[in-house]
Amino acid sequence: MQVLTVRDADELAATAADVFRARVRARPDLAMAVPAGRTPRRMYARMAALQHVDPVDYSRMRVFAVDELCPPAPADGYFWRQIRAEFLSWAKVDADGCRPFRVDAGDLDGMCVAYETAIMQAGGLDVVMLGLGPNAHLASNEPGCAFDVRTRPVRLLDSTVRYILTDDVIQGDVCERAVTLGLATIMAANEVIVLVSGEAKRAALALMLDAPVSADVPASVLRTHPRCLVIADRGARL
């Protein structure tokens, strides 16, 4: 695991944007699970600004979701709405290459199986980029989650739901149900990139880096990944 510590949230956004763009330039058709939430927001804004002066061809990407909230969230998902508004709206990724979770599906288990199949048909995920939960959850894999699980429906802890509701992008009710890439799905990716910003994530980052590798700290499993990059600002790292 490589840990890169940057000055602040702005430098984290710039660094993450450079990494994202470099991965696409190296492989224009890469399959990538892209993040939503607070921390990626500045990264997407930075990427959009750079697109005007130093464009990258995103059109051939295969874009997957990391996780998504279930109804009463909207059928197209709160997290995917953010990805669409902040990235896909200007990146011009081919619609056939975009794979959101269909949280309005009548059979969520079957939808998740189909999602895993789509990942396999893409040749597996080249990159998973995601944030870190305040309790060291990874995607929506809460503490106690087994390391060998794949994409599936899950129940979120009350503390996670409360944390989600503090994000201004959420404009409506949130329940405890979600769907998520499993830890085994994430670990099967060629590369995992974790973005960590702010003092609120300091304890979670310390657990991820220093606690025993165990189901109690889902993100700790990434210490066994052959290619994991953590980009953290000083607020989270010190």
Side-chain angles (χ1 to χ4, degrees):
M1 176 182 286
Q2 177 187 2
V3 181
L4 178 60
T5 304
V6 298
R7 182 180 61 254
D8 54 23
D10 286 335
E11 188 172 355
L12 188 153
T15 302
D18 288 345
V19 169
F20 193 127
R21 285 159 52 88
R23 299 302 185 268
V24 178
R25 278 194 164 128
R27 183 171 180 179
D29 67 341
L30 92 168
M32 182 173 181
V34 301
R38 299 163 178 79
T39 305
R41 191 160 287 131
R42 293 186 187 188
M43 176 191 73
Y44 289 134
R46 172 73 174 173
M47 290 167 60
L50 288 171
Q51 194 69 359
H52 295 293
V53 295
D54 183 20
V56 171
D57 180 8
Y58 297 99
S59 64
R60 295 165 56 196
M61 282 183 69
R62 281 82 53 78
V63 177
F64 291 82
V66 171
D67 55 358
E68 189 55 83
L69 301 172
C70 293
D76 56 341
Y78 282 128
F79 297 159
W80 191 258
R81 280 187 175 184
Q82 180 190 347
I83 291 165
R84 193 175 63 222
E86 297 177 12
F87 175 52
L88 298 176
S89 62
W90 57 262
K92 299 180 180 178
V93 179
D94 190 299
D96 290 340
C98 297
R99 184 83 186 201
F101 283 115
R102 300 297 181 187
V103 292
D104 58 342
D107 178 6
L108 287 179
D109 290 295
M111 185 274 294
C112 288
V113 170
Y115 209 82
E116 281 285 331
T117 300
I119 291 172
M120 288 187 291
Q121 290 173 341
L125 292 170
D126 297 298
V127 181
V128 174
M129 179 181 279
L130 71 175
L132 178 66
N135 61 3
H137 70 244
L138 204 62
S140 288
N141 298 286
E142 298 277 28
C145 172
F147 289 162
D148 62 352
V149 292
R150 294 279 178 174
T151 302
R152 71 208 188 286
V154 295
R155 288 194 175 274
L156 303 174
L157 297 176
D158 290 344
S159 58
T160 298
V161 174
R162 289 194 298 270
Y163 177 74
I164 291 169
L165 284 168
T166 63
D167 191 346
D168 291 339
V169 76
I170 306 298
Q171 300 293 324
D173 293 334
V174 172
C175 74
E176 76 283 0
R177 294 183 302 131
V179 292
T180 184
L181 300 182
L183 293 178
T185 310
I186 294 168
M187 290 295 290
N190 292 335
E191 181 181 21
V192 180
I193 302 169
V194 186
L195 310 179
V196 192
S197 180
E199 294 182 6
K201 300 294 180 72
R202 187 179 296 172
L205 181 60
L207 287 171
M208 175 182 173
L209 298 178
D210 300 322
V213 176
S214 77
D216 292 334
V217 183
S220 67
V221 71
L222 292 179
R223 299 215 302 271
T224 69
H225 194 283
R227 191 180 178 198
C228 178
L229 171 64
V230 179
I231 307 174
D233 64 23
R234 289 178 182 169
R237 188 76 173 98
L238 298 179

